[in-house]
Amino acid sequence: MSDLNGLDPHIHNGDPTGVLRCVLDCFGAPTGSPSLSSLETLRKRLAQMAYKLQKEQKVEGPFHSHLFLLIVGTATEIARRQRLIQ
């Protein structure tokens, strides 16, 4: 994205924490936004679950259509438990 509502693209330093920081910079609100640490926890738990699902489904990457749907469902459930979404 070259411009997002007047915000220039942010540099994420090529790591997941940098990406999360940029998402918060672009979409976060002064109140009610999740903390970076809660998003990091979500990302780590999701990565673990995605790896486990990949092994169970015997696929090499997360972009097999059925596996991707399982990962999205898992991400949604984790986010709900952490009260990041309703």
Side-chain angles (χ1 to χ4, degrees), residues 1-78:
M1 296 182 277
S2 65
D3 189 6
L4 180 65
N5 197 23
L7 297 172
D8 289 329
H10 296 273
I11 304 301
H12 54 73
N13 299 324
D15 64 40
T17 300
V19 171
L20 293 174
R21 193 175 298 111
C22 288
V23 168
L24 286 174
D25 285 348
C26 292
F27 298 108
T31 59
S33 292
S35 67
L36 182 61
S37 64
S38 68
L39 292 177
E40 271 292 299
T41 299
L42 172 65
R43 183 194 64 78
K44 289 175 185 174
R45 289 181 62 199
L46 182 59
Q48 291 169 346
M49 291 302 299
Y51 183 74
K52 179 182 174 190
L53 290 169
Q54 282 177 240
K55 293 287 234 181
E56 288 174 1
Q57 298 292 317
K58 297 181 169 98
V59 294
E60 291 186 26
F63 299 109
H64 183 274
S65 59
H66 177 69
L67 178 62
F68 190 77
L69 290 174
L70 290 174
I71 292 170
V72 169
T74 300
T76 302
E77 184 58 33
I78 292 170

